[in-house]
Amino acid sequence: MRNLTLALLAATSLMTVSAHAAPDTAPAAVRTPLAELGKDDPYIWMEEIEGQRALDWAKAQNDRTLPVLQGDARYAGLHDAALTIVNAKDRIPGVSFVAEDDLRNYWQDADHVRGVWRTTTLASYRTADPAWSTILDLDALAKAEGKNWVWKGGDCLAPESRYCLVSLSNGGKDAVVVREYDIKTKTFVAGGFELPEGKHRFDWIDKDTLIVATDWTPGEVTTSGYPYVVKLVKRGQPLSAAKEVYRGAKDDGGYGVSPYALRDHDGVVRAVFVLRPLDTFNAETHLVVGETTVKLPFPLKSSIQALVKGQLVFSVEQDWAQQGLKTGDLAAFDLAALKADPAKAKAKLILRPTARESVQGVNATRDRLVVALFENVKGAAYAYDVKDGAWSRTKLDLPANSTVSLGSASDKDDRIFVSVTGYLTPTTYWLADAATGKLDQVKAAPAKFDASTHVVEQFEATSKDGTKIPYFLVRPKNTKYDGSTPTLLYAYGGFQASMTPGYSPTMGKLWLERGGAYVVANIRGGGEFGPSWHEQGLKANRQRVYDDFFAVSEDLIARKITSPRRLGIMGGSNGGLLMGVALTQRPELYNAIVIQVPLFDMVRYSQIGAGSSWMGEYGDPQIPSDLAVIEKYSPYQNLKAGQKYPEVFIETSTKDDRVHPAHARKAAARLEALGYPVLYYENVDGGHAASANLAETARRVSLEYTYLTRKLMD
């Protein structure tokens, strides 16, 4: 069973998010008019996502940048290595339980560039060469329909999972077309459910009913472009006949209302909810009763996680004094009692993490709750059982000092897939029995680079305010502590997203194997130590995130692992904003900066793309006190002439309808106008991932490492 609330949010956020206090508001009289924010910007025309002038500019930039990087003698070798890795057929195919003997997977390789949805049995999956049966070939579909389809998932009706709502994106956008597909006949259902392109939220109620949030009429979306009206759609009826059950407001923040049906492990609907985000992190939870809804007394920062043995498991990201719960707790309500009388239902505590722990994943088998718990950024997994309202746990004996991630769980018994990985350790895939603790390693990915030359260490840097910031260092065993090691530092620092150890074949092959060091900083704004670690970097405290990053950079230099000449940094999305701040605030620390699909113009970010949905993270530029903070760090406004900026590599995608490509475009244009050299690449497809298929992924990665090689290894 999926992590319900977070699964809905993650689909549209910069990264997975959580939620605390009521959203910021200010009287209209003291709000800065939107028209006044950035009104003198000479590059506002770049905000027209597919405007001809902007596209011509991007093409000219590509025509200048690609020959530089692809013309480097090392590019071809790096590209061939990257292409071999991403197309490798010996990768572990991640699977989802559908029925007792039915596992499904979506797969891409050189023969399936767009991908193939396929199925196998558990017995076959255990073998070295499973026998797969194709459900839907996206390459063939795209060719037949003349479309640039990118797979965005299939939501199937439990328990049979025969009928599925397939989401298809044009070029990788978040907006999708939804069409009903019959797994048995392997055809789209004639006259079946279908939604035109949009940022839909939907779920099955039964075979003939969907609950859907979408833009029912043109323009019926929030200011950030997401739906806020929920209706019931009946089979055979036009969308115009759908019956409304819930309506949010046009000025709601966040990612739009999200309806979902909560099913038990027999596929029976036990409750239907509507999540109404008020901003990035604050959301109301409503229970659907008939054709109306009842608001539940959950804190605005809480997340429904699972249903097990009638217990509704949830987490809280703020104190809930009425229930005796603290920030970061995992707890449960008896679902029947909650539905009968929400005001009187009492929660039972399941887990209270320590200051150096955080819940990173939750799933449920038929009779057990399974929790991935990180302890000082190192993973473990526990199976929980409930008897007479009391919860007990057993630790699963998985490899230590790794990242533990929960996969699909069976509805028929207590089996769950768990993956284990590390920086130098290829991923292993385990089938765990949460009831008995039995572990069976079913897959192990082969090594894709020589890890024998490197070692992993964990250090701490001291930030400006004295906070200890952990970071992982993957370095050559023969490192000379003279500052000569080419080092790539990565971080994110936002939206409660945790940066944990993971095996990256392309990074290992294209960087580590060639003598580089790799560093991941666990800075504030992330979720490595729970909601409080995130909240310490919110809004007015944003500078702490950047100070943490600079502290790690300085610590690497102080230890003489590297030097400013050999230190490069990379980050995407919110991490791309981090890169922009590093460029403008501490350029002397770095010789290379890879800025991926970034936020950059924070004064206008709420007006560009889906920006207004993130005001819970950054603040509202229309509020003068928020704007005063934002203006201090916004990279676009802080670019200046006469600085010692390194030549940066900025990359984005025209199809990114989440973080608008205008951020990257305007950054490059302003840098050039100030006289700085810039490398810029805009992929015409790819969405927020900046690549729509494996071939484009290989090209993007090889461009990045060619740039880093030129700057840090030469």
Side-chain angles (χ1 to χ4, degrees):
M1 185 176 293
R2 61 185 175 178
N3 174 336
L4 297 166
T5 304
L6 289 182
L8 293 165
L9 292 176
T12 50
S13 65
L14 286 164
M15 293 287 283
T16 300
V17 302
S18 68
H20 187 249
D24 283 341
T25 59
V30 300
R31 293 174 67 84
T32 304
L34 280 174
E36 294 298 312
L37 296 174
K39 65 178 181 179
D40 297 325
D41 182 2
Y43 301 111
I44 284 182
W45 54 272
M46 291 184 167
E47 295 176 10
E48 187 179 352
I49 195 164
E50 293 192 87
Q52 193 58 52
R53 184 182 178 189
L55 292 177
D56 289 345
W57 177 89
K59 182 180 184 301
Q61 292 289 319
N62 288 350
D63 290 345
R64 181 182 58 80
T65 293
L66 290 178
V68 173
L69 295 178
Q70 293 179 328
D72 188 288
R74 291 154 300 195
Y75 173 82
L78 293 173
H79 181 264
D80 289 347
L83 194 61
T84 298
I85 287 171
V86 300
N87 282 328
K89 295 186 178 182
D90 57 3
R91 291 173 284 132
I92 294 180
V95 292
S96 298
F97 279 108
V98 178
E100 187 171 359
D101 198 42
D102 183 6
L103 302 179
R104 293 181 188 171
N105 159 264
Y106 195 76
W107 181 258
Q108 293 174 294
D109 59 26
D111 299 323
H112 308 94
V113 176
R114 295 180 184 274
V116 58
W117 194 20
R118 58 188 189 171
T119 183
T120 190
T121 65
L122 178 58
S124 182
Y125 182 69
R126 290 176 178 273
T127 67
D129 188 19
W132 295 97
S133 174
T134 296
I135 298 172
L136 176 63
D137 186 328
L138 203 65
D139 293 272
L141 178 68
K143 182 178 180 181
E145 297 185 348
K147 300 289 188 179
N148 185 19
W149 290 135
V150 174
W151 177 258
K152 290 292 185 176
D155 294 90
C156 302
L157 176 62
E160 295 86 0
S161 294
R162 172 179 174 177
Y163 296 100
C164 303
L165 300 173
V166 171
S167 296
L168 303 170
S169 165
N170 175 21
K173 295 186 292 186
D174 284 349
V176 296
V177 170
V178 179
R179 295 156 66 179
E180 185 180 1
Y181 191 79
D182 185 340
I183 298 297
K184 186 175 181 179
T185 63
K186 298 182 180 180
T187 59
F188 287 102
V189 177
F193 289 116
E194 187 165 344
L195 300 175
E197 185 177 74
K199 294 184 178 181
H200 315 295
R201 311 284 184 271
F202 55 84
D203 204 351
W204 293 93
I205 299 297
D206 55 44
K207 185 176 182 294
D208 297 315
T209 313
L210 304 181
I211 187 166
V212 179
T214 191
D215 48 334
W216 301 98
T217 58
E220 195 175 42
V221 293
T222 65
T223 54
S224 54
Y226 294 102
Y228 63 90
V229 179
V230 179
K231 297 185 181 184
L232 293 174
V233 177
K234 293 290 186 178
R235 183 177 298 279
Q237 288 184 339
L239 293 180
S240 59
K243 191 169 185 63
E244 183 174 319
V245 294
Y246 183 80
R247 177 176 292 264
K250 190 173 183 64
D251 59 355
D252 283 349
Y255 315 108
V257 295
S258 297
Y260 59 95
L262 183 66
R263 286 179 162 78
D264 64 20
H265 290 276
D266 292 318
V268 178
V269 175
R270 296 301 182 186
V272 179
F273 297 104
V274 172
L275 185 74
R276 180 202 179 191
L278 302 178
D279 64 17
T280 319
F281 306 109
N282 295 275
E284 298 173 350
T285 303
H286 296 257
L287 176 68
V288 177
V289 180
E291 294 180 352
T292 186
T293 61
V294 175
K295 183 180 176 182
L296 295 177
F298 282 98
L300 292 179
K301 281 193 170 184
S302 59
S303 303
I304 294 174
Q305 301 284 350
L307 177 66
V308 58
K309 287 186 175 180
Q311 300 296 301
L312 182 67
V313 179
F314 65 96
S315 59
V316 290
E317 288 79 46
Q318 68 180 93
D319 291 351
W320 192 1
Q322 296 93 325
Q323 294 287 348
L325 298 177
K326 300 290 186 181
T327 300
D329 283 354
L330 191 68
F333 279 116
D334 180 90
L335 179 59
L338 179 68
K339 291 170 64 178
D341 193 340
K344 292 183 179 179
K346 294 298 294 182
K348 289 291 185 71
L349 180 68
I350 301 173
L351 167 66
R352 176 163 292 162
T354 68
R356 302 298 280 185
E357 293 180 337
S358 67
V359 174
Q360 293 292 318
V362 179
N363 207 342
T365 63
R366 187 172 187 84
D367 292 316
R368 294 292 188 275
L369 180 72
V370 185
V371 178
L373 185 68
F374 276 72
E375 301 155 336
N376 201 28
V377 207
K378 297 174 183 177
Y382 294 86
Y384 286 79
D385 190 19
V386 59
K387 292 181 180 179
D388 300 324
W391 293 83
S392 60
R393 76 177 188 179
T394 303
K395 187 175 184 178
L396 299 180
D397 190 20
L398 293 162
N401 299 319
S402 302
T403 291
V404 175
S405 301
L406 305 181
S408 178
S410 173
D411 286 327
K412 304 302 180 184
D413 52 37
D414 291 307
R415 294 173 300 171
I416 182 172
F417 284 109
V418 181
S419 67
V420 179
T421 186
Y423 291 116
L424 300 178
T425 308
T427 300
T428 52
Y429 214 44
W430 300 75
L431 187 58
D433 188 317
T436 66
K438 181 183 177 182
L439 294 168
D440 184 10
Q441 183 178 307
V442 293
K443 295 288 180 183
K448 292 299 181 181
F449 62 91
D450 182 5
S452 66
T453 59
H454 280 64
V455 63
V456 179
E457 297 173 318
Q458 189 179 32
F459 295 109
E460 285 186 338
T462 302
S463 194
K464 188 175 182 179
D465 64 0
T467 302
K468 299 296 183 182
I469 309 300
Y471 67 90
F472 288 99
L473 167 66
V474 188
R475 65 165 178 83
K477 291 179 179 178
N478 63 354
T479 295
K480 295 179 180 179
Y481 294 94
D482 59 2
S484 63
T485 302
T487 301
L488 175 60
L489 169 60
Y490 184 88
Y492 186 78
F495 294 88
Q496 205 175 324
S498 301
M499 299 292 103
T500 57
Y503 191 78
S504 172
T506 51
M507 185 276 294
K509 188 70 177 179
L510 277 60
W511 188 251
L512 296 181
E513 199 175 83
R514 298 169 62 233
Y518 182 66
V519 180
V520 174
N522 301 117
I523 60 181
R524 283 174 286 185
E528 288 86 347
F529 300 126
S532 64
W533 196 246
H534 169 233
E535 290 172 3
Q536 290 179 54
L538 281 179
K539 296 184 178 180
N541 296 322
R542 201 75 197 170
Q543 187 59 42
R544 291 175 180 172
V545 175
Y546 310 130
D547 290 341
D548 292 356
F549 187 72
F550 302 147
V552 172
S553 304
E554 291 170 332
D555 198 64
L556 290 166
I557 295 168
R559 292 176 188 273
K560 296 187 177 180
I561 292 164
T562 191
S563 61
R565 168 67 182 84
R566 301 293 178 184
L567 179 57
I569 55 177
M570 179 162 63
S573 192
N574 173 74
L577 168 61
L578 171 63
M579 297 301 102
V581 175
L583 172 68
T584 53
Q585 291 190 7
R586 298 298 303 277
E588 77 281 1
L589 292 176
Y590 314 107
N591 198 42
I593 304 179
V594 180
I595 306 174
Q596 305 164 311
V597 291
L599 283 158
F600 217 86
D601 181 356
M602 297 305 291
V603 168
R604 286 184 57 81
Y605 88 93
S606 63
Q607 304 176 64
I608 306 174
S612 62
S613 62
W614 311 316
M615 289 193 288
E617 180 82 11
Y618 306 114
D620 184 350
Q622 285 190 270
I623 298 174
S625 59
D626 285 2
L627 180 61
V629 174
I630 290 170
E631 286 180 323
K632 289 181 180 179
Y633 69 78
S634 179
Y636 188 60
Q637 282 73 29
N638 282 284
L639 290 172
K640 300 175 183 177
Q643 306 301 304
K644 293 185 177 180
Y645 297 153
E647 181 183 40
V648 299
F649 178 32
I650 303 173
E651 50 190 347
T652 190
S653 168
T654 307
K655 298 294 186 184
D656 190 347
D657 54 350
R658 196 179 315 172
V659 176
H660 198 293
H663 285 281
R665 293 169 178 171
K666 296 202 298 183
R670 176 156 285 184
L671 280 166
E672 285 194 324
L674 291 171
Y676 298 105
V678 180
L679 294 172
Y680 178 92
Y681 172 60
E682 182 170 324
N683 184 13
V684 295
D685 289 323
H688 194 48
S691 51
N693 56 58
L694 294 178
E696 291 173 1
T697 298
R699 177 170 58 178
R700 175 180 58 79
V701 170
S702 53
L703 288 171
E704 291 168 351
Y705 283 102
T706 298
Y707 163 80
L708 291 167
T709 297
R710 292 164 63 91
K711 294 298 180 182
L712 305 180
M713 288 186 169
D714 285 353

